[in-house]
Amino acid sequence: MNSAMSEYVELHCHSNFSFHEGASSTGELLSRAKELDYRALAITNHDNLCDAMEFAKTARSLNIQPIIGCEVTLQGGSHLTLLAKTREGYANLCRLVSAAHIFGDRRAPNLDPRLLEEHAKGLILLTGCSKGEVPDLARQGDLSGSRKRLGEYLDQFGLENTYLELQQNLVYGDTSRNRRLVELGKEMG
């Protein structure tokens, strides 16, 4: 690996397969990642794994580690970002995305959160964007609620596979939400 490569890795990135959210193809995203000397890139399209295999193949050809993930919509509307850590994790991610489509509306898939624990092996959980339950509760100042939900994720995925997702999109409320999440992270280890 080139020692000049960037240490930054984008773990929550939408391609044009995240309809109404992403505009760039995975090829365009990988081309830009190569220009920026990224050593890895995650594609986490919303509620689908479209183009995941082509992304992985192209990323490897560019010497970029592909990370396959998905931003899933849970029942109730909150979001959660899941990343495949292993082959078993990828299989579990496929099962979860399929379940969201089977049991949800075709145009608005939603995942029963009770399925997470059964399919947690091999996955990394990021608490999600501002629409994630933990970040949203933190934004509202409900640290007890965010602590409780984060504790459930820690029980399901383990400390080594659960991460608070901090996003700074220069939108009002991002900084105060991130500060609360950082404090929550310090408190919960």
Side-chain angles (χ1 to χ4, degrees), residues 146-183:
S146 58
R147 189 178 301 112
K148 179 178 184 260
R149 189 65 184 119
L150 180 58
E152 291 168 0
Y153 290 148
L154 288 167
D155 289 343
Q156 293 170 335
F157 289 83
L159 182 63
E160 69 283 355
N161 295 316
T162 305
Y163 294 87
L164 289 164
E165 185 172 341
L166 304 177
Q167 290 189 355
Q168 183 59 271
N169 296 313
L170 305 177
V171 175
Y172 179 77
D174 280 357
T175 301
S176 60
R177 181 188 67 245
N178 286 338
R179 283 186 183 136
R180 288 181 181 136
L181 288 170
V182 167
E183 289 305 312

Side-chain angles (χ1 to χ4, degrees), residues 13-181:
C13 183
H14 295 314
S15 77
N16 56 351
F17 284 100
S18 282
F19 308 111
H20 303 293
E21 290 188 14
S24 300
S25 70
T26 52
E28 292 167 331
L29 293 168
L30 284 165
S31 177
R32 183 67 176 142
K34 188 71 175 171
E35 289 172 19
L36 295 171
D37 280 331
Y38 284 12
R39 59 186 172 91
L41 177 68
I43 295 293
T44 55
N45 286 320
H46 231 303
D47 298 312
N48 76 73
L49 294 167
C50 295
D51 204 31
M53 291 299 100
E54 187 62 30
F55 161 70
K57 181 180 168 187
T58 305
R60 283 189 194 99
S61 76
L62 296 170
N63 200 29
I64 296 173
Q65 179 188 345
I67 303 169
I68 297 174
C70 186
E71 182 177 5
V72 296
T73 303
L74 300 175
Q75 290 175 346
S78 66
H79 297 177
L80 200 59
T81 308
L82 299 171
L83 305 174
K85 183 177 179 180
T86 63
R87 286 184 186 272
E88 183 178 14
Y90 177 72
N92 278 325
L93 184 59
C94 289
R95 288 181 187 100
L96 291 170
V97 170
S98 294
H101 283 269
I102 291 169
F103 301 113
D105 180 304
R106 182 177 67 85
R107 288 183 220 131
N110 59 71
L111 179 66
D112 183 339
R114 294 176 295 188
L115 295 174
L116 290 171
E117 185 168 14
E118 181 182 343
H119 300 289
K121 193 164 185 184
L123 290 174
I124 293 173
L125 177 140
L126 308 179
T127 55
C129 63
S130 62
K131 292 181 182 176
E133 190 173 4
V134 171
D136 187 50
L137 288 166
R139 178 194 59 77
Q140 296 174 40
D142 183 356
L143 294 182
S144 174
S146 58
R147 189 178 301 112
K148 179 178 184 260
R149 189 65 184 119
L150 180 58
E152 291 168 0
Y153 290 148
L154 288 167
D155 289 343
Q156 293 170 335
F157 289 83
L159 182 63
E160 69 283 355
N161 295 316
T162 305
Y163 294 87
L164 289 164
E165 185 172 341
L166 304 177
Q167 290 189 355
Q168 183 59 271
N169 296 313
L170 305 177
V171 175
Y172 179 77
D174 280 357
T175 301
S176 60
R177 181 188 67 245
N178 286 338
R179 283 186 183 136
R180 288 181 181 136
L181 288 170

Side-chain angles (χ1 to χ4, degrees), residues 6-12 38-42 65 67 83:
S6 172
E7 291 300 313
Y8 178 79
V9 175
E10 180 61 51
L11 296 176
H12 190 140
Y38 284 12
R39 59 186 172 91
L41 177 68
Q65 179 188 345
I67 303 169
L83 305 174

